[in-house]
Amino acid sequence: MIWDTHAHIDDPRYADDFQEVVTRMKSAGISRVTNVGYDLPSSGRSVKLALDYNFIYAAIGLHPHNAEGVTAETWEKLLELAKQAKVVAWGEIGLDYYRDLSPRPVQKEVFIQQIKLANEVGLPIVIHDRDAHHDILEIVKAYPPLFGGIFHCYSGSWEMAEILLKLGFYLSFAGPVTYKNARHTVEVAKKAPIDRILVETDSPYLTPEPRRGKRNEPTYVREVVMKLAEIKNLSFEDTAFHTMHNAESVFKLV
């Protein structure tokens, strides 16, 4: 039993074969998926998927790319979604200084506001951090999430990871941990305690080896589990067990 803790299977790229994706996932032992919102429409789709399928859970929130143009109505609608059944996290939220699709001050403001709202409704947060390590760290220190949090597709250093672990965060690993040039990510995975590690696909993105270059899907999270088992010198079954238990802990389902 494996939990893909971060996927976007509401993406149009699954429109033609969604049921086949679900069948493959179930056959591969992927028992749960968290479908993650990045704007208001995708957050709504995530909630609908979670209500329609017993193995799907939802996260709702605004990605930093979508930080501009937020209104009071946006926050009201997100708060309504956050209170729906099977919503287990507020995300994905954070900062993205690689593409800079929203002005950085706006990204920061919207990130901080969403941490406050997650604290208000009692949800952990799911953080997107791309080329913004310093500012992300400063913000989570100043505005700590009261119900825990996940650094999705962790890409920072071990030094940063040590700080985040002390702050109570979980580190989630995706396809990049399987890539040949993933030296820093492998180092973090090796040193991080097994009880603070999660696995994800970020489907349809970040497809792991040996399928890199193709559309990703939850089934392929097995490759991430396999790589982490190799890195940590554990069995596949033990790694799957620990990461499943960790997901249940952070999403408050134990």
Side-chain angles (χ1 to χ4, degrees):
M1 294 173 63
I2 301 170
W3 192 325
D4 179 358
T5 59
H6 193 115
H8 304 281
I9 53 175
D10 61 302
D11 189 278
R13 277 168 274 196
Y14 301 105
D16 293 335
D17 66 342
F18 183 82
Q19 290 303 326
E20 288 87 347
V21 168
V22 167
T23 299
R24 285 193 293 271
M25 182 190 83
K26 287 187 169 182
S27 298
I30 317 307
S31 53
R32 292 178 182 174
V33 177
T34 304
N35 201 79
V36 180
Y38 51 86
D39 60 10
L40 201 49
S42 63
S43 295
R45 292 194 300 269
S46 291
V47 171
K48 186 177 186 308
L49 276 174
L51 295 176
D52 288 347
Y53 293 89
N54 63 0
F55 57 89
I56 297 178
Y57 292 79
I60 60 93
L62 300 178
H63 190 286
H65 289 342
N66 303 303
E68 275 194 290
V70 177
T71 65
E73 185 182 10
T74 309
W75 297 132
E76 288 174 14
K77 289 182 176 179
L78 282 171
L79 279 169
E80 286 175 17
L81 289 172
K83 295 170 185 175
Q84 299 301 307
K86 294 182 71 185
V87 173
V88 294
W90 194 298
E92 64 187 279
I93 66 177
L95 305 175
D96 192 309
Y97 291 174
Y98 178 74
R99 292 190 177 175
D100 274 325
L101 296 187
S102 297
R104 293 183 183 186
V106 176
Q107 290 189 44
K108 291 179 182 178
E109 179 184 341
V110 168
F111 180 30
I112 291 167
Q113 178 64 12
Q114 291 186 96
I115 296 174
K116 292 178 178 178
L117 290 173
N119 287 344
E120 183 180 319
V121 296
L123 290 174
I125 59 174
V126 179
I127 293 180
H128 172 100
D129 168 21
R130 191 161 188 194
D131 291 358
H133 303 324
H134 177 268
D135 284 359
I136 287 262
L137 199 51
E138 291 303 304
I139 287 172
V140 298
K141 285 179 178 176
Y143 303 91
L146 302 180
F147 297 89
I150 301 164
F151 267 73
H152 129 75
C153 192
Y154 185 74
S155 61
S157 66
W158 169 242
E159 289 73 24
M160 179 176 173
E162 283 188 291
I163 297 169
L164 296 175
L165 291 167
K166 287 176 183 174
L167 292 173
F169 284 97
Y170 287 75
L171 308 179
S172 185
F173 295 93
V177 76
T178 70
Y179 300 166
K180 292 177 182 177
N181 62 347
R183 184 169 56 86
H184 293 299
T185 307
V186 168
E187 178 193 13
V188 174
K190 187 172 185 177
K191 292 180 177 178
I194 189 63
D195 63 351
R196 302 289 283 285
I197 287 175
L198 302 171
V199 293
E200 61 167 283
T201 56
D202 200 21
S203 299
Y205 315 105
L206 302 180
T207 311
E209 298 289 1
R211 297 178 175 86
R212 192 173 181 183
K214 300 178 181 178
R215 182 195 69 178
N216 204 0
E217 59 182 75
T219 298
Y220 302 156
V221 77
R222 289 182 64 90
E223 308 295 340
V224 179
V225 175
M226 199 175 302
K227 183 64 178 180
L228 288 175
E230 175 193 319
I231 291 168
K232 301 194 78 62
N233 196 28
L234 293 170
S235 70
F236 180 91
E237 292 75 17
D238 281 349
T239 307
F241 171 82
H242 284 294
T243 55
M244 170 64 86
H245 179 72
N246 297 343
E248 291 173 338
S249 295
V250 71
F251 294 138
K252 310 297 189 289
L253 292 174
V254 287

PDB file of all heavy atoms in Angstrom, residues 95 97 111 115 127 129 132-145 151 154 157 159-167 169:
ATOM      1  N   LEU A  95       6.474  29.821  -2.982  1.00  0.00           N
ATOM      2  CA  LEU A  95       7.164  30.822  -3.808  1.00  0.00           C
ATOM      3  C   LEU A  95       7.831  30.134  -4.984  1.00  0.00           C
ATOM      4  O   LEU A  95       8.383  29.042  -4.844  1.00  0.00           O
ATOM      5  CB  LEU A  95       8.225  31.560  -2.990  1.00  0.00           C
ATOM      6  CG  LEU A  95       7.773  32.247  -1.692  1.00  0.00           C
ATOM      7  CD1 LEU A  95       8.980  32.830  -0.959  1.00  0.00           C
ATOM      8  CD2 LEU A  95       6.736  33.331  -1.968  1.00  0.00           C
ATOM      9  N   TYR A  97      10.556  31.460  -7.715  1.00  0.00           N
ATOM     10  CA  TYR A  97      11.412  32.511  -8.273  1.00  0.00           C
ATOM     11  C   TYR A  97      12.095  32.063  -9.558  1.00  0.00           C
ATOM     12  O   TYR A  97      12.943  32.778 -10.099  1.00  0.00           O
ATOM     13  CB  TYR A  97      12.477  32.911  -7.249  1.00  0.00           C
ATOM     14  CG  TYR A  97      11.936  33.643  -6.031  1.00  0.00           C
ATOM     15  CD1 TYR A  97      12.781  33.952  -4.963  1.00  0.00           C
ATOM     16  CD2 TYR A  97      10.592  34.026  -5.941  1.00  0.00           C
ATOM     17  CE1 TYR A  97      12.313  34.626  -3.851  1.00  0.00           C
ATOM     18  CE2 TYR A  97      10.119  34.685  -4.822  1.00  0.00           C
ATOM     19  CZ  TYR A  97      10.985  34.986  -3.782  1.00  0.00           C
ATOM     20  OH  TYR A  97      10.520  35.660  -2.669  1.00  0.00           O
ATOM     21  N   PHE A 111       1.235  33.764   0.019  1.00  0.00           N
ATOM     22  CA  PHE A 111       1.756  32.620   0.770  1.00  0.00           C
ATOM     23  C   PHE A 111       1.458  32.774   2.256  1.00  0.00           C
ATOM     24  O   PHE A 111       0.910  31.860   2.902  1.00  0.00           O
ATOM     25  CB  PHE A 111       3.258  32.507   0.512  1.00  0.00           C
ATOM     26  CG  PHE A 111       3.947  31.363   1.211  1.00  0.00           C
ATOM     27  CD1 PHE A 111       3.291  30.177   1.492  1.00  0.00           C
ATOM     28  CD2 PHE A 111       5.290  31.478   1.563  1.00  0.00           C
ATOM     29  CE1 PHE A 111       3.945  29.111   2.126  1.00  0.00           C
ATOM     30  CE2 PHE A 111       5.958  30.432   2.194  1.00  0.00           C
ATOM     31  CZ  PHE A 111       5.278  29.257   2.480  1.00  0.00           C
ATOM     32  N   ILE A 115      -1.002  30.473   4.792  1.00  0.00           N
ATOM     33  CA  ILE A 115      -0.575  29.816   6.036  1.00  0.00           C
ATOM     34  C   ILE A 115      -1.547  30.183   7.157  1.00  0.00           C
ATOM     35  O   ILE A 115      -1.979  29.318   7.934  1.00  0.00           O
ATOM     36  CB  ILE A 115       0.861  30.230   6.419  1.00  0.00           C
ATOM     37  CG1 ILE A 115       1.874  29.750   5.376  1.00  0.00           C
ATOM     38  CG2 ILE A 115       1.219  29.652   7.799  1.00  0.00           C
ATOM     39  CD1 ILE A 115       3.295  30.239   5.624  1.00  0.00           C
ATOM     40  N   ILE A 127       3.937  22.873   0.504  1.00  0.00           N
ATOM     41  CA  ILE A 127       4.744  23.994   0.023  1.00  0.00           C
ATOM     42  C   ILE A 127       5.445  23.684  -1.291  1.00  0.00           C
ATOM     43  O   ILE A 127       6.103  22.656  -1.441  1.00  0.00           O
ATOM     44  CB  ILE A 127       5.782  24.401   1.088  1.00  0.00           C
ATOM     45  CG1 ILE A 127       5.066  24.980   2.309  1.00  0.00           C
ATOM     46  CG2 ILE A 127       6.782  25.406   0.529  1.00  0.00           C
ATOM     47  CD1 ILE A 127       5.991  25.407   3.422  1.00  0.00           C
ATOM     48  N   ASP A 129       8.397  25.168  -3.472  1.00  0.00           N
ATOM     49  CA  ASP A 129       9.584  26.019  -3.289  1.00  0.00           C
ATOM     50  C   ASP A 129      10.514  25.813  -4.481  1.00  0.00           C
ATOM     51  O   ASP A 129      11.156  24.772  -4.599  1.00  0.00           O
ATOM     52  CB  ASP A 129      10.286  25.640  -1.978  1.00  0.00           C
ATOM     53  CG  ASP A 129      11.675  26.261  -1.850  1.00  0.00           C
ATOM     54  OD1 ASP A 129      11.957  27.260  -2.536  1.00  0.00           O
ATOM     55  OD2 ASP A 129      12.478  25.732  -1.047  1.00  0.00           O
ATOM     56  N   ALA A 132      13.673  29.574  -4.200  1.00  0.00           N
ATOM     57  CA  ALA A 132      13.251  30.596  -3.234  1.00  0.00           C
ATOM     58  C   ALA A 132      13.517  30.129  -1.806  1.00  0.00           C
ATOM     59  O   ALA A 132      12.792  30.495  -0.882  1.00  0.00           O
ATOM     60  CB  ALA A 132      11.765  30.888  -3.426  1.00  0.00           C
ATOM     61  N   HIS A 133      14.570  29.338  -1.636  1.00  0.00           N
ATOM     62  CA  HIS A 133      14.813  28.685  -0.346  1.00  0.00           C
ATOM     63  C   HIS A 133      14.897  29.674   0.812  1.00  0.00           C
ATOM     64  O   HIS A 133      14.274  29.469   1.855  1.00  0.00           O
ATOM     65  CB  HIS A 133      16.098  27.861  -0.399  1.00  0.00           C
ATOM     66  CG  HIS A 133      16.121  26.823  -1.479  1.00  0.00           C
ATOM     67  ND1 HIS A 133      15.004  26.115  -1.863  1.00  0.00           N
ATOM     68  CD2 HIS A 133      17.144  26.365  -2.257  1.00  0.00           C
ATOM     69  CE1 HIS A 133      15.332  25.267  -2.831  1.00  0.00           C
ATOM     70  NE2 HIS A 133      16.615  25.411  -3.086  1.00  0.00           N
ATOM     71  N   HIS A 134      15.660  30.743   0.637  1.00  0.00           N
ATOM     72  CA  HIS A 134      15.879  31.692   1.743  1.00  0.00           C
ATOM     73  C   HIS A 134      14.577  32.340   2.194  1.00  0.00           C
ATOM     74  O   HIS A 134      14.248  32.375   3.388  1.00  0.00           O
ATOM     75  CB  HIS A 134      16.890  32.770   1.334  1.00  0.00           C
ATOM     76  CG  HIS A 134      17.100  33.811   2.397  1.00  0.00           C
ATOM     77  ND1 HIS A 134      16.360  34.981   2.438  1.00  0.00           N
ATOM     78  CD2 HIS A 134      17.945  33.854   3.465  1.00  0.00           C
ATOM     79  CE1 HIS A 134      16.751  35.701   3.483  1.00  0.00           C
ATOM     80  NE2 HIS A 134      17.708  35.037   4.122  1.00  0.00           N
ATOM     81  N   ASP A 135      13.805  32.850   1.232  1.00  0.00           N
ATOM     82  CA  ASP A 135      12.576  33.554   1.590  1.00  0.00           C
ATOM     83  C   ASP A 135      11.519  32.594   2.158  1.00  0.00           C
ATOM     84  O   ASP A 135      10.789  32.956   3.090  1.00  0.00           O
ATOM     85  CB  ASP A 135      12.015  34.296   0.372  1.00  0.00           C
ATOM     86  CG  ASP A 135      12.802  35.562   0.054  1.00  0.00           C
ATOM     87  OD1 ASP A 135      13.760  35.866   0.796  1.00  0.00           O
ATOM     88  OD2 ASP A 135      12.474  36.236  -0.939  1.00  0.00           O
ATOM     89  N   ILE A 136      11.450  31.391   1.606  1.00  0.00           N
ATOM     90  CA  ILE A 136      10.515  30.387   2.145  1.00  0.00           C
ATOM     91  C   ILE A 136      10.837  30.106   3.603  1.00  0.00           C
ATOM     92  O   ILE A 136       9.951  30.068   4.469  1.00  0.00           O
ATOM     93  CB  ILE A 136      10.618  29.069   1.336  1.00  0.00           C
ATOM     94  CG1 ILE A 136       9.980  29.230  -0.045  1.00  0.00           C
ATOM     95  CG2 ILE A 136       9.999  27.910   2.115  1.00  0.00           C
ATOM     96  CD1 ILE A 136       8.575  28.721  -0.195  1.00  0.00           C
ATOM     97  N   LEU A 137      12.116  29.909   3.878  1.00  0.00           N
ATOM     98  CA  LEU A 137      12.545  29.576   5.236  1.00  0.00           C
ATOM     99  C   LEU A 137      12.211  30.709   6.200  1.00  0.00           C
ATOM    100  O   LEU A 137      11.712  30.474   7.311  1.00  0.00           O
ATOM    101  CB  LEU A 137      14.046  29.289   5.239  1.00  0.00           C
ATOM    102  CG  LEU A 137      14.630  28.500   6.408  1.00  0.00           C
ATOM    103  CD1 LEU A 137      13.857  27.224   6.665  1.00  0.00           C
ATOM    104  CD2 LEU A 137      16.099  28.188   6.126  1.00  0.00           C
ATOM    105  N   GLU A 138      12.467  31.948   5.776  1.00  0.00           N
ATOM    106  CA  GLU A 138      12.163  33.099   6.630  1.00  0.00           C
ATOM    107  C   GLU A 138      10.663  33.179   6.925  1.00  0.00           C
ATOM    108  O   GLU A 138      10.264  33.477   8.057  1.00  0.00           O
ATOM    109  CB  GLU A 138      12.649  34.389   5.955  1.00  0.00           C
ATOM    110  CG  GLU A 138      14.164  34.515   5.878  1.00  0.00           C
ATOM    111  CD  GLU A 138      14.823  34.435   7.250  1.00  0.00           C
ATOM    112  OE1 GLU A 138      14.447  35.241   8.128  1.00  0.00           O
ATOM    113  OE2 GLU A 138      15.685  33.554   7.458  1.00  0.00           O
ATOM    114  N   ILE A 139       9.854  32.903   5.921  1.00  0.00           N
ATOM    115  CA  ILE A 139       8.405  33.004   6.107  1.00  0.00           C
ATOM    116  C   ILE A 139       7.883  31.912   7.037  1.00  0.00           C
ATOM    117  O   ILE A 139       7.082  32.181   7.940  1.00  0.00           O
ATOM    118  CB  ILE A 139       7.676  32.981   4.744  1.00  0.00           C
ATOM    119  CG1 ILE A 139       7.908  34.318   4.022  1.00  0.00           C
ATOM    120  CG2 ILE A 139       6.171  32.730   4.926  1.00  0.00           C
ATOM    121  CD1 ILE A 139       7.413  34.355   2.592  1.00  0.00           C
ATOM    122  N   VAL A 140       8.317  30.658   6.855  1.00  0.00           N
ATOM    123  CA  VAL A 140       7.778  29.587   7.718  1.00  0.00           C
ATOM    124  C   VAL A 140       8.284  29.714   9.152  1.00  0.00           C
ATOM    125  O   VAL A 140       7.643  29.206  10.077  1.00  0.00           O
ATOM    126  CB  VAL A 140       8.057  28.173   7.156  1.00  0.00           C
ATOM    127  CG1 VAL A 140       7.372  27.986   5.808  1.00  0.00           C
ATOM    128  CG2 VAL A 140       9.547  27.876   7.062  1.00  0.00           C
ATOM    129  N   LYS A 141       9.419  30.390   9.331  1.00  0.00           N
ATOM    130  CA  LYS A 141       9.869  30.671  10.700  1.00  0.00           C
ATOM    131  C   LYS A 141       8.999  31.756  11.333  1.00  0.00           C
ATOM    132  O   LYS A 141       8.635  31.675  12.509  1.00  0.00           O
ATOM    133  CB  LYS A 141      11.326  31.130  10.692  1.00  0.00           C
ATOM    134  CG  LYS A 141      12.349  30.028  10.473  1.00  0.00           C
ATOM    135  CD  LYS A 141      13.752  30.634  10.455  1.00  0.00           C
ATOM    136  CE  LYS A 141      14.828  29.588  10.279  1.00  0.00           C
ATOM    137  NZ  LYS A 141      16.181  30.226  10.168  1.00  0.00           N
ATOM    138  N   ALA A 142       8.671  32.775  10.549  1.00  0.00           N
ATOM    139  CA  ALA A 142       7.886  33.898  11.068  1.00  0.00           C
ATOM    140  C   ALA A 142       6.402  33.562  11.199  1.00  0.00           C
ATOM    141  O   ALA A 142       5.715  34.103  12.080  1.00  0.00           O
ATOM    142  CB  ALA A 142       8.062  35.115  10.156  1.00  0.00           C
ATOM    143  N   TYR A 143       5.920  32.696  10.318  1.00  0.00           N
ATOM    144  CA  TYR A 143       4.504  32.313  10.312  1.00  0.00           C
ATOM    145  C   TYR A 143       4.397  30.782  10.299  1.00  0.00           C
ATOM    146  O   TYR A 143       4.050  30.183   9.289  1.00  0.00           O
ATOM    147  CB  TYR A 143       3.788  32.902   9.088  1.00  0.00           C
ATOM    148  CG  TYR A 143       3.882  34.401   8.991  1.00  0.00           C
ATOM    149  CD1 TYR A 143       4.931  35.005   8.286  1.00  0.00           C
ATOM    150  CD2 TYR A 143       2.935  35.222   9.606  1.00  0.00           C
ATOM    151  CE1 TYR A 143       5.030  36.380   8.203  1.00  0.00           C
ATOM    152  CE2 TYR A 143       3.022  36.600   9.519  1.00  0.00           C
ATOM    153  CZ  TYR A 143       4.075  37.171   8.822  1.00  0.00           C
ATOM    154  OH  TYR A 143       4.171  38.540   8.741  1.00  0.00           O
ATOM    155  N   PRO A 144       4.699  30.152  11.404  1.00  0.00           N
ATOM    156  CA  PRO A 144       4.736  28.679  11.413  1.00  0.00           C
ATOM    157  C   PRO A 144       3.360  28.064  11.205  1.00  0.00           C
ATOM    158  O   PRO A 144       2.370  28.543  11.762  1.00  0.00           O
ATOM    159  CB  PRO A 144       5.279  28.347  12.806  1.00  0.00           C
ATOM    160  CG  PRO A 144       4.999  29.554  13.624  1.00  0.00           C
ATOM    161  CD  PRO A 144       5.056  30.728  12.716  1.00  0.00           C
ATOM    162  N   PRO A 145       3.291  27.010  10.399  1.00  0.00           N
ATOM    163  CA  PRO A 145       2.027  26.280  10.265  1.00  0.00           C
ATOM    164  C   PRO A 145       1.743  25.493  11.536  1.00  0.00           C
ATOM    165  O   PRO A 145       2.577  24.707  11.977  1.00  0.00           O
ATOM    166  CB  PRO A 145       2.284  25.352   9.075  1.00  0.00           C
ATOM    167  CG  PRO A 145       3.766  25.164   9.053  1.00  0.00           C
ATOM    168  CD  PRO A 145       4.359  26.441   9.569  1.00  0.00           C
ATOM    169  N   PHE A 151       7.125  19.813   2.471  1.00  0.00           N
ATOM    170  CA  PHE A 151       7.864  20.428   1.374  1.00  0.00           C
ATOM    171  C   PHE A 151       7.791  19.456   0.198  1.00  0.00           C
ATOM    172  O   PHE A 151       8.463  18.440   0.175  1.00  0.00           O
ATOM    173  CB  PHE A 151       9.307  20.727   1.780  1.00  0.00           C
ATOM    174  CG  PHE A 151       9.473  22.116   2.319  1.00  0.00           C
ATOM    175  CD1 PHE A 151       8.992  22.446   3.578  1.00  0.00           C
ATOM    176  CD2 PHE A 151      10.070  23.114   1.565  1.00  0.00           C
ATOM    177  CE1 PHE A 151       9.111  23.728   4.080  1.00  0.00           C
ATOM    178  CE2 PHE A 151      10.192  24.401   2.049  1.00  0.00           C
ATOM    179  CZ  PHE A 151       9.713  24.716   3.313  1.00  0.00           C
ATOM    180  N   TYR A 154      10.986  17.956  -2.611  1.00  0.00           N
ATOM    181  CA  TYR A 154      12.040  18.715  -1.936  1.00  0.00           C
ATOM    182  C   TYR A 154      13.284  18.863  -2.810  1.00  0.00           C
ATOM    183  O   TYR A 154      13.785  17.888  -3.372  1.00  0.00           O
ATOM    184  CB  TYR A 154      12.423  18.045  -0.609  1.00  0.00           C
ATOM    185  CG  TYR A 154      13.415  18.886   0.163  1.00  0.00           C
ATOM    186  CD1 TYR A 154      12.991  20.038   0.805  1.00  0.00           C
ATOM    187  CD2 TYR A 154      14.770  18.561   0.188  1.00  0.00           C
ATOM    188  CE1 TYR A 154      13.898  20.851   1.478  1.00  0.00           C
ATOM    189  CE2 TYR A 154      15.672  19.369   0.867  1.00  0.00           C
ATOM    190  CZ  TYR A 154      15.234  20.510   1.503  1.00  0.00           C
ATOM    191  OH  TYR A 154      16.127  21.314   2.160  1.00  0.00           O
ATOM    192  N   SER A 157      18.923  21.983   0.141  1.00  0.00           N
ATOM    193  CA  SER A 157      20.129  21.329   0.660  1.00  0.00           C
ATOM    194  C   SER A 157      19.809  20.534   1.916  1.00  0.00           C
ATOM    195  O   SER A 157      18.725  20.664   2.506  1.00  0.00           O
ATOM    196  CB  SER A 157      21.165  22.402   1.013  1.00  0.00           C
ATOM    197  OG  SER A 157      20.687  23.192   2.101  1.00  0.00           O
ATOM    198  N   GLU A 159      21.399  21.086   4.670  1.00  0.00           N
ATOM    199  CA  GLU A 159      21.440  22.094   5.738  1.00  0.00           C
ATOM    200  C   GLU A 159      20.052  22.709   5.953  1.00  0.00           C
ATOM    201  O   GLU A 159      19.606  22.910   7.079  1.00  0.00           O
ATOM    202  CB  GLU A 159      22.466  23.181   5.398  1.00  0.00           C
ATOM    203  CG  GLU A 159      23.912  22.734   5.496  1.00  0.00           C
ATOM    204  CD  GLU A 159      24.336  21.797   4.360  1.00  0.00           C
ATOM    205  OE1 GLU A 159      23.710  21.834   3.271  1.00  0.00           O
ATOM    206  OE2 GLU A 159      25.290  21.005   4.572  1.00  0.00           O
ATOM    207  N   MET A 160      19.379  23.010   4.853  1.00  0.00           N
ATOM    208  CA  MET A 160      18.021  23.542   4.968  1.00  0.00           C
ATOM    209  C   MET A 160      17.070  22.472   5.498  1.00  0.00           C
ATOM    210  O   MET A 160      16.197  22.748   6.341  1.00  0.00           O
ATOM    211  CB  MET A 160      17.539  24.055   3.616  1.00  0.00           C
ATOM    212  CG  MET A 160      16.126  24.608   3.631  1.00  0.00           C
ATOM    213  SD  MET A 160      15.656  25.291   2.030  1.00  0.00           S
ATOM    214  CE  MET A 160      13.921  25.659   2.319  1.00  0.00           C
ATOM    215  N   ALA A 161      17.238  21.243   5.015  1.00  0.00           N
ATOM    216  CA  ALA A 161      16.380  20.144   5.464  1.00  0.00           C
ATOM    217  C   ALA A 161      16.468  19.955   6.972  1.00  0.00           C
ATOM    218  O   ALA A 161      15.444  19.699   7.626  1.00  0.00           O
ATOM    219  CB  ALA A 161      16.755  18.855   4.739  1.00  0.00           C
ATOM    220  N   GLU A 162      17.667  20.067   7.525  1.00  0.00           N
ATOM    221  CA  GLU A 162      17.835  19.923   8.976  1.00  0.00           C
ATOM    222  C   GLU A 162      16.980  20.932   9.730  1.00  0.00           C
ATOM    223  O   GLU A 162      16.344  20.609  10.734  1.00  0.00           O
ATOM    224  CB  GLU A 162      19.303  20.101   9.351  1.00  0.00           C
ATOM    225  CG  GLU A 162      20.182  18.912   9.058  1.00  0.00           C
ATOM    226  CD  GLU A 162      21.572  19.103   9.632  1.00  0.00           C
ATOM    227  OE1 GLU A 162      22.308  19.968   9.114  1.00  0.00           O
ATOM    228  OE2 GLU A 162      21.917  18.388  10.592  1.00  0.00           O
ATOM    229  N   ILE A 163      16.972  22.172   9.237  1.00  0.00           N
ATOM    230  CA  ILE A 163      16.168  23.224   9.872  1.00  0.00           C
ATOM    231  C   ILE A 163      14.686  22.889   9.760  1.00  0.00           C
ATOM    232  O   ILE A 163      13.929  22.996  10.733  1.00  0.00           O
ATOM    233  CB  ILE A 163      16.470  24.592   9.224  1.00  0.00           C
ATOM    234  CG1 ILE A 163      17.931  24.977   9.459  1.00  0.00           C
ATOM    235  CG2 ILE A 163      15.540  25.668   9.782  1.00  0.00           C
ATOM    236  CD1 ILE A 163      18.404  26.168   8.637  1.00  0.00           C
ATOM    237  N   LEU A 164      14.263  22.471   8.571  1.00  0.00           N
ATOM    238  CA  LEU A 164      12.849  22.158   8.347  1.00  0.00           C
ATOM    239  C   LEU A 164      12.394  20.989   9.203  1.00  0.00           C
ATOM    240  O   LEU A 164      11.280  20.993   9.739  1.00  0.00           O
ATOM    241  CB  LEU A 164      12.614  21.863   6.867  1.00  0.00           C
ATOM    242  CG  LEU A 164      12.855  23.032   5.911  1.00  0.00           C
ATOM    243  CD1 LEU A 164      12.710  22.576   4.475  1.00  0.00           C
ATOM    244  CD2 LEU A 164      11.908  24.189   6.214  1.00  0.00           C
ATOM    245  N   LEU A 165      13.235  19.989   9.335  1.00  0.00           N
ATOM    246  CA  LEU A 165      12.883  18.840  10.165  1.00  0.00           C
ATOM    247  C   LEU A 165      12.711  19.259  11.625  1.00  0.00           C
ATOM    248  O   LEU A 165      11.788  18.801  12.307  1.00  0.00           O
ATOM    249  CB  LEU A 165      13.944  17.749  10.036  1.00  0.00           C
ATOM    250  CG  LEU A 165      14.000  17.049   8.671  1.00  0.00           C
ATOM    251  CD1 LEU A 165      15.281  16.228   8.537  1.00  0.00           C
ATOM    252  CD2 LEU A 165      12.765  16.167   8.458  1.00  0.00           C
ATOM    253  N   LYS A 166      13.568  20.155  12.094  1.00  0.00           N
ATOM    254  CA  LYS A 166      13.441  20.662  13.468  1.00  0.00           C
ATOM    255  C   LYS A 166      12.157  21.463  13.644  1.00  0.00           C
ATOM    256  O   LYS A 166      11.591  21.521  14.739  1.00  0.00           O
ATOM    257  CB  LYS A 166      14.657  21.515  13.825  1.00  0.00           C
ATOM    258  CG  LYS A 166      15.924  20.701  14.056  1.00  0.00           C
ATOM    259  CD  LYS A 166      17.122  21.595  14.310  1.00  0.00           C
ATOM    260  CE  LYS A 166      18.395  20.758  14.459  1.00  0.00           C
ATOM    261  NZ  LYS A 166      19.607  21.621  14.573  1.00  0.00           N
ATOM    262  N   LEU A 167      11.702  22.094  12.550  1.00  0.00           N
ATOM    263  CA  LEU A 167      10.460  22.860  12.594  1.00  0.00           C
ATOM    264  C   LEU A 167       9.226  21.967  12.451  1.00  0.00           C
ATOM    265  O   LEU A 167       8.098  22.445  12.534  1.00  0.00           O
ATOM    266  CB  LEU A 167      10.453  23.918  11.481  1.00  0.00           C
ATOM    267  CG  LEU A 167      11.458  25.061  11.625  1.00  0.00           C
ATOM    268  CD1 LEU A 167      11.456  25.934  10.366  1.00  0.00           C
ATOM    269  CD2 LEU A 167      11.142  25.919  12.858  1.00  0.00           C
ATOM    270  N   PHE A 169       8.520  19.816   9.730  1.00  0.00           N
ATOM    271  CA  PHE A 169       8.062  19.535   8.375  1.00  0.00           C
ATOM    272  C   PHE A 169       8.396  18.111   7.934  1.00  0.00           C
ATOM    273  O   PHE A 169       9.350  17.501   8.416  1.00  0.00           O
ATOM    274  CB  PHE A 169       8.695  20.512   7.382  1.00  0.00           C
ATOM    275  CG  PHE A 169       8.088  21.883   7.406  1.00  0.00           C
ATOM    276  CD1 PHE A 169       8.674  22.910   8.138  1.00  0.00           C
ATOM    277  CD2 PHE A 169       6.928  22.153   6.702  1.00  0.00           C
ATOM    278  CE1 PHE A 169       8.115  24.176   8.178  1.00  0.00           C
ATOM    279  CE2 PHE A 169       6.358  23.417   6.728  1.00  0.00           C
ATOM    280  CZ  PHE A 169       6.953  24.431   7.469  1.00  0.00           C
TER     281      PHE A 169
END
